[in-house]
Amino acid sequence: MALLNFLGAIQQVTGSCYLIETFDKKNILLECGMQQGGDSHENDNDNNDNGKSNGSAFAFNPEHIDAVVISHAHIDHSGMLPRLVSEGFRGPIFATEATCELMELMLLDSAHIQEKDAEWENRWRARRGKKAIKPLYVSQDAERVLKQRKPVSYEKRVEVVPGVHVTFADAGHIIGAAIVKLEFAEPNDSVRTLVFSGDLGSTCSPLMKTPAILKHADVLLLESTYGDRDHRCNEETLDELVAILEQADKDGGNVMIPAFSVGRTQDILFHLGRFYQEGRLPQHTVYLDSPMAIRANDIYFRHREDFDEENRAMLKKHNIHNVSDWLPILKLTPTPEESMAINNVKSGAIIVAGSGMCNGGRIVHHFKHNLWREDCHLIFTGFQARGTTGRAIVDGVKSVRVFREDIMVGAQVHTLGGFSAHAGQSQLIEWASHFENRPELHLIHGELDKMLILQSEFKKRLNWDANIPELGDRIAL
Ligand SMILES: [Zn+2]
């Protein structure tokens, strides 16, 4: 009988990690995610990690791991892979094709950030006569991860270690995101099935399909990010966005949209493209000022066969092959020079840039030129975690500190709900209700208060008892 250890994303949303020990002593690591931020819902897209607790030792010996399975490329699900490899893991890493492509982008970027952070910290330490620190991992480690990837198509059943098979189903969260089914052959020839929901997409996010329905599992691990509520997701949110863009046009300034590079940015560009196609976009230029998001766009379009049917048909009908066909006023600014040139644009532009919570990235540069101006607008479309600059602005601070300078918040600030890339409460329950045999249910990837609400809803609506595991808990599969 296989055993499952709950090692990460337990009563919190980041650091996804589960260790499975099979009856014949093989070790499979399901997820190898990085811990991010403080208490956050959806900071899974950007590499704006503060390194907190990622430095402590793994709860296992990486040399003893035989294979890794990754649900999707977000850094809180894949970001510790370079460290796993640097500490001796040499086995295969199974993930979908798009996830494998996105991992290249995200892990190299993450390694670069680790190197830069350590460099900065060590300069500070040197001045104080302190010992230098080592980065969590370096680019070479990330490059090594890439060599160990084993891309697998959706719905293709492959062997992970002898007697254990994985099948990925579309989770509809970001491109390549998967629900993971693991089947364990038991010594008595029976099969035990573990289903891990991964991050389940919201039915309201554009481009992505509705999460695939699975009907059989013995044990189910269900994400609970929004276990406490349903999203308001309808045309209203989009009309609200158009209304803000119209107002911004009248006011005469620019519009800033901080957005995570993978997932949220592509959703926003899709919506802006739709407004453009419908003649409802008053601005003259949309700048995408994020090298990572620009590359992620290409990966999205390369995998557009995974877009939902309706949108895929529409893109086909309009002969759309990349995001610029869809939104012709889109201007990509990958280089620092191109990015800085935006500073001269005083009116009629929409600037989409990272990081999503304004703790760094190019959006901060745009604050310097736009945030203090009363004719400018700032639109938040994602959750802002406590302690971030974005959250401070949402909470109404008068000024924020940007590059050792206090910038007044003069721009009009808007927070738009309804753009979540995660399933809401009813959708989570509905999705789980399709399992025919009522598997043993464990809630993971959520804050405790939200999980407790989801747990009681499962009891109330389906009379189904859900367990909320503690960190380090171990169950038999
Ligand atoms: Zn995610």
Side-chain angles (χ1 to χ4, degrees), residues 16 65 67 73 90 93 98 100-102 136 141 147 169 222 253 257 259 268 279 350-351 409 445:
S16 188
I65 300 295
R90 292 291 174 269
I93 300 166
C100 285
E101 286 186 40
L102 283 173
L136 192 58
D141 302 321
K147 294 200 185 93
L222 179 67
I257 307 183
I268 296 291
I350 297 173
I351 305 162
V409 182
H445 199 288

Side-chain angles (χ1 to χ4, degrees), residues 38-52:
D39 55 342
S40 54
H41 284 262
E42 274 197 58
N43 66 344
D44 46 7
N45 299 40
D46 276 358
N47 294 332
N48 55 357
D49 163 67
N50 60 6
K52 201 167 65 184

